[in-house]
Amino acid sequence: MPHYNLRINGLVREVETDADTPLLYVLRDYLELNGPKFGCGLSQCGACMVLIDGEASTSCMRPISSLGDAEIITLEGLRDKNGNLHPVQKAFVQEQAAQCGYCLNGMVMASVSLLNQNPAPNEQEIREGMQLNLCRCSTHSRIIKAIKSAAKTQ
Amino acid sequence: MELPKTTRRKFLRNIGFISVGFPLLSSCFEEQEKAMAKRIDYNGDLPGSMRNASLVNAWLQVLEDGRVLIFSGKVELGQGIRMAICQVAAEELDLDLDQVEVHLAETGVTPDEGYTAGSGSVPNSAMSVRYAAATARKKLLELASSQLNAPIEKLSFSQGNVGYQNQNLNFAEILGGTQIEMEVSKPVPIKDSSSYQYVGKAIHRKDIPKMVIGEEIYVQDLRFPGMVHARVLRPASYQSFLTSIDLDGLSAEVSGVLKTVVKGNFVGVITEREYQAVKAERYLKNHSEWTSETAFPEEENLYNHLKSIAESPETIQDKGDVSKAFAENKTYQAEYTKPYFQHGAIGPACGIAMFDGDILHIWSHSQGIYPMRSAIAAILKMDQSKIHVTGIPGAGCFGHNSADDAAADAAILAIEYPGKHVRVQWSRTDEHTWEPYGTAMIMKMVASMDNQGKITAWKSDVWTDTHSMRPNRDPATLLNTRYLEDPIPLTQRGYLGGGHRNADPYYAFPKMQVNAHFFNGPLRVSSLRSLGSYGNIFAIESFMDELAGKANKNPFEFRIIHLNDERAIAVIQKLQQLCDSAKVNTGEGIGMAFSRYKNNTAYAAVAAHVKVDPAAGMLQLKKLWAVGDVGQIINLDGITNQFEGGMIQAASWTLKEQVNFKGDQITSEDWMSYPIFRFDEIPEVEVVMIDHPELPAEGGGEVSMPPTGAAIANAVYQACGIRVYDLPIRIEKISN
Ligand code: FES
Ligand code: FES
């Protein structure tokens, strides 16, 4: 089986697996990370999002062989060196922007990516930026609030 | 079998070292009065959950370090029950919130509280904990009084310490290694609401900080040494049989295959790595043949079909002679329809099982671990005392979905592959096409009004399938049972009563009749959040709105003149105030609706503000307001979150959702073919809760959903003059 060296959360991680294994399965099953979640495997819900070179991307259909030396950041890699939460993580806690929290990984990653590209998004831009992410518990209005408050603090 | 006791002892020892320190509300603790808070005697009915577990130590134990461990048989579904229980316990025992640990749902460890459903966790579990904790407090004071040689009134009691002058004992020291084994019996001295420091407040949940950093929370996150992965290949359709399967090339094609299991029409495959199981299932799908089944009825003709297969009606309520009133007054009627809806959990079901040769251990996000255990015991023909189930959260499920089926998949495969933890993960497509849906319904309403605009008689006829096929002793409630060799077909009908829940309007009509027409419909169904109430209230409150129009009355006033209940009137009046400030442009409208959930629990009045432009094909839900009354509020932010989520989810049902099928296939197989709300469709939401600390606490998980559907339909009518009777309210139904 082929070997891959992936750049994940600031470390180089070596993985031996079939070339078609999607990144999500590598992260959860091989590297034992909990952040990215399996929601659909079809790039329809956003639960599996990670940052690939700074941009929120679904990981459930992205084969490991396509990643090269892209820089991958997961939910676990958002805190700074001192362990402080990212402003988006803080804002989600502050606004209690979750019920079951299963979608939360994707919501946080999409929000971080959105604020990286647009530090002061308006309501419309927030909604567009979060369009791929589904939440069945329907905590959307809290998530929008959390993004607005993170935008103010970061 | 000594399993439960051993587990519990070990658990109690270990948990003493788990630090859950979480500095919430630290400022409040400083202000806390050391003197004893005021108490009142509770002398009413003890919660139903206490029938199975009446001793204090079934609910509450003191840990070695003096902190308190609470046991509840309910599961965390994202509704925040863990926090609500923690608040109630900390309140009665005057503890800090981080001095209370809550252990949820584990067979042999926590009380058997049946299912976590029906907004019943607060009135049952949290209230049981309240009375157990209050009893414990009384006992601790008595013991401390004799140990410290001081009268009870002179003792201080706070943050886990009982003191007199300069002496202090923590709870563990008072109990000296024992637990409080006394019965909870009335009267129970409970804290008076005027001295509450946690109950009724908006307190942050302890689990969200863990979620945001990706800690292990969900059953999907559990990993065990040597754990293997599995998938189950579902039949080609509900009734199809496996005619052939070719396993020969599997191992050459897919690496890591450990075992395939074919038992009748049940096909499972176990692999080393998870993605290998995904590929193996795909291979098996392409290398198996199944019979095709008789088709479902034509979707266009669904409601006629359902009426044609319904049994003769049962009269559920019959008050006064409605026919006579109909003959004597002007009479109106309307018929409403609701399609099948999905639960649509964002995380598809997952179950883990390990058979150690004697005990079968299962980890599941089931809503009822004890009832599921009896169903799995019946499938496997095992003694249920040999099955140990631990409840672990999954994604929000909103009723009975496929969680239990995945646990049963794992259990069946674990027996075939002993000694290893077998993890079964469902695919998105399986979740969408095999879960038990919320049933389609037809609601026909007839009412007569006098010339004062007062309703004189009302008749509801409801056509419905069952609203609960939850796992129980009958193994056929689990999907797998129907596909094993010697399949056990489903014969029972489950909980039919859910179908006419809230079909009898809460209004004070002099004459009323409710008839239920039960059918055994074509799709697999079970309980979906609020059961029949959503459909019934959609019909009743749409019809009330129509009648208000006929009577030339304001919809708020029209409801109020038909109500005798102050609390009901209060939520409607408050809602009216909120809506008054909204600016309504042309092409827009505000509609409202009211219900009291189950007609005897919590109240909600909901209003919707929509914008409709039929020419442009545009229907936009701008805002939803709710005013709620759940009696005593335990966690203000928790209940607000439940109300908000319930309204948005119900709005998604109302405007978008419908399970489609064709031939023998469910065609709503993913989020493209079964779309739900996305961010661009989310309305602004505003929730106001009316607190009644003097009244019993009701759950609120389902309460805001039923009126939301009708409020939207009524708003659409206000905006464009078109009334939609057939859910979902899609723009095509308005433009055409
Ligand atoms: S799991 Fe990747 S988008 Fe749904
Ligand atoms: S919080 Fe449950 S899916 Fe979003």
Side-chain angles (χ1 to χ4, degrees), chain B residues 2 27 110 255 268 287 305 396 425 571 608 623:
Chain B
E2 282 299 285
S27 58
T110 64
S255 53
H287 291 81
H305 171 78
Q425 168 70 63
V571 292
K623 179 158 184 180

Side-chain angles (χ1 to χ4, degrees), chain B residues 261-511:
Chain B
V261 175
V262 181
K263 294 163 85 65
N265 298 302
F266 176 92
V267 180
V269 57
I270 303 172
T271 61
E272 288 167 7
R273 289 292 184 177
E274 187 173 4
Y275 195 63
Q276 294 165 343
V278 174
K279 290 203 280 184
E281 188 209 337
R282 205 180 297 149
Y283 178 93
L284 294 172
K285 189 177 172 123
N286 294 333
H287 291 81
S288 55
E289 306 279 341
W290 300 80
T291 59
S292 60
E293 183 201 330
T294 35
F296 292 127
E298 294 288 317
E299 221 187 302
E300 302 69 53
N301 196 29
L302 175 67
Y303 299 113
N304 286 334
H305 171 78
L306 297 178
K307 278 190 170 175
S308 76
I309 60 171
E311 297 152 15
S312 44
E314 275 177 41
T315 299
I316 306 297
Q317 204 186 107
D318 202 3
K319 185 178 78 173
D321 188 346
V322 289
S323 324
K324 186 157 171 278
F326 292 162
E328 290 167 359
N329 294 282
K330 199 155 169 45
T331 302
Y332 304 88
Q333 64 173 47
E335 192 170 296
Y336 303 83
T337 47
K338 164 199 173 282
Y340 290 96
F341 290 151
Q342 300 209 353
H343 294 83
I346 293 300
C350 179
I352 300 175
M354 198 275 286
F355 181 52
D356 67 12
D358 179 31
I359 306 289
L360 174 65
H361 302 269
I362 299 175
W363 291 262
S364 169
H365 53 118
S366 165
Q367 283 190 300
I369 54 160
Y370 280 98
M372 180 186 83
R373 179 173 71 164
S374 29
I376 292 180
I379 298 191
L380 300 174
K381 303 188 175 61
M382 269 177 92
D383 180 345
Q384 64 171 5
S385 67
K386 297 279 184 191
I387 302 178
H388 167 222
V389 186
T390 307
I392 307 280
C397 59
F398 319 107
H400 169 215
N401 69 353
S402 44
D404 307 80
D405 300 322
D409 286 340
I412 293 166
L413 293 170
I415 298 285
E416 297 290 322
Y417 202 73
K420 294 280 186 192
H421 290 81
V422 180
R423 177 184 186 273
V424 174
Q425 168 70 63
W426 275 37
S427 69
R428 173 47 55 201
T429 306
D430 285 348
E431 183 80 20
H432 262 66
T433 53
W434 287 91
E435 69 139 291
Y437 308 121
T439 183
M441 291 169 68
I442 304 151
M443 292 78 51
K444 184 179 173 191
M445 307 284 131
V446 187
S448 54
M449 262 195 308
D450 64 20
N451 42 22
Q452 259 50 214
K454 280 276 259 184
I455 294 170
T456 50
W458 183 289
K459 181 158 87 110
S460 305
D461 278 84
V462 181
W463 285 259
T464 179
D465 201 335
T466 180
H467 283 261
S468 176
M469 288 302 304
R470 291 180 176 281
N472 54 29
R473 223 160 281 138
D474 175 357
T477 49
L478 292 169
L479 187 63
N480 332 56
T481 321
R482 309 178 203 174
Y483 302 104
L484 292 166
E485 62 283 69
D486 309 326
I488 304 172
L490 188 62
T491 49
Q492 57 154 320
R493 298 295 306 283
Y495 175 51
L496 292 169
H500 50 82
R501 178 175 287 178
N502 280 112
D504 43 336
Y506 191 62
Y507 301 102
F509 301 145
K511 297 180 173 133

Side-chain angles (χ1 to χ4, degrees), chain B residues 232-281:
Chain B
V232 173
L233 172 63
R234 298 283 154 213
S237 59
Y238 277 178
Q239 313 276 350
S240 65
F241 301 113
L242 182 63
T243 50
S244 73
I245 185 158
D246 176 10
L247 304 173
D248 289 349
L250 176 61
S251 296
E253 185 86 8
V254 180
S255 53
V257 175
L258 299 168
K259 185 164 185 167
T260 41
V261 175
V262 181
K263 294 163 85 65
N265 298 302
F266 176 92
V267 180
V269 57
I270 303 172
T271 61
E272 288 167 7
R273 289 292 184 177
E274 187 173 4
Y275 195 63
Q276 294 165 343
V278 174
K279 290 203 280 184
E281 188 209 337

Side-chain angles (χ1 to χ4, degrees), chain A residues 141-142 145, chain B residues 574-575 578 605-606 623-629 636-637 639-647 684-690 704:
Chain A
S141 61
R142 287 168 177 243
K145 269 190 217 141
Chain B
K574 180 76 205 172
L575 181 72
L578 294 179
V606 172
K623 179 158 184 180
L624 290 170
W625 298 261
V627 179
D629 169 358
L636 179 60
D637 190 60
I639 194 76
T640 305
N641 199 348
Q642 284 298 304
F643 263 63
E644 290 171 1
M647 288 150 76
E684 187 190 334
V685 287
E686 183 177 340
V687 173
V688 173
M689 299 300 304
I690 299 177
S704 69

Side-chain angles (χ1 to χ4, degrees), chain A residues 18 20 28-29 33-34 39 44 89 96 98-102 127 130-132 136-137 141-142, chain B residues 205 212 218 220-221 223 255 273-274 279 342-343 396 428 641 644 649 657 671 678-680 682:
Chain A
D18 292 321
D20 60 354
R28 290 193 61 88
D29 189 15
L33 294 170
N34 292 320
Q44 295 177 354
Q89 289 171 306
Q96 296 281 291
Q99 282 185 23
C100 77
Y102 198 89
R127 287 166 182 264
M130 303 301 290
Q131 190 61 359
L132 189 72
R136 188 56 158 171
C137 300
S141 61
R142 287 168 177 243
Chain B
R205 281 162 51 177
V212 299
Y218 309 93
Q220 287 89 344
D221 296 336
R223 295 182 187 86
S255 53
R273 289 292 184 177
E274 187 173 4
K279 290 203 280 184
Q342 300 209 353
H343 294 83
R428 173 47 55 201
N641 199 348
E644 290 171 1
Q649 189 177 94
E657 300 184 29
W671 296 123
R678 288 188 183 269
F679 267 92
D680 60 346
I682 301 301

